[in-house]
Amino acid sequence: VWLVWRSGGWPGTRNALVLFAAQLLLNAVWSIIFFGMRSPGAAFAEIVLLWCAVVATMVTFWVHSRTASALLVPYLAWSTFAAILNFAIWRLN
């Protein structure tokens, strides 16, 4: 996020920074839904939103910093793996 912010400050990168904050919030909420509420179905729906937010963040980061966008690839891979596990747990229960 620092690479993006450095490229244009708040005025020039507002959308990218808001998307980054949104995906961070969705990440935290997933844990609450899955572990706290013990609701794998709702958590799966939420992780799909998280996955979309990560992709959207990567796309907007690409405009400002290709490096920043590329650094999110492992996070997207992990989110994909977590979504698959979440789906499997939901379907098995």
Side-chain angles (χ1 to χ4, degrees):
V1 77
W2 178 78
L3 292 171
V4 172
W5 179 79
R6 190 177 72 155
S7 74
W10 175 252
T13 61
R14 181 176 316 196
N15 291 340
L17 298 177
V18 168
L19 275 171
F20 183 80
Q23 64 82 23
L24 278 180
L25 178 64
L26 287 168
N27 190 319
V29 170
W30 179 85
S31 296
I32 293 167
I33 296 170
F34 188 85
F35 294 111
M37 297 171 56
R38 295 185 175 133
S39 180
F44 179 71
E46 199 276 347
I47 205 167
V48 169
L49 293 175
L50 170 61
W51 194 91
C52 292
V54 172
V55 170
T57 301
M58 290 174 71
V59 169
T60 59
F61 273 23
W62 184 264
V63 173
H64 303 286
S65 169
R66 291 183 176 158
T67 302
S69 181
L71 287 170
L72 289 174
V73 169
Y75 179 44
L76 181 63
W78 174 251
S79 298
T80 302
F81 179 67
I84 292 166
L85 286 176
N86 187 154
F87 180 78
I89 291 168
W90 175 43
R91 297 303 298 156
L92 290 172
N93 289 310

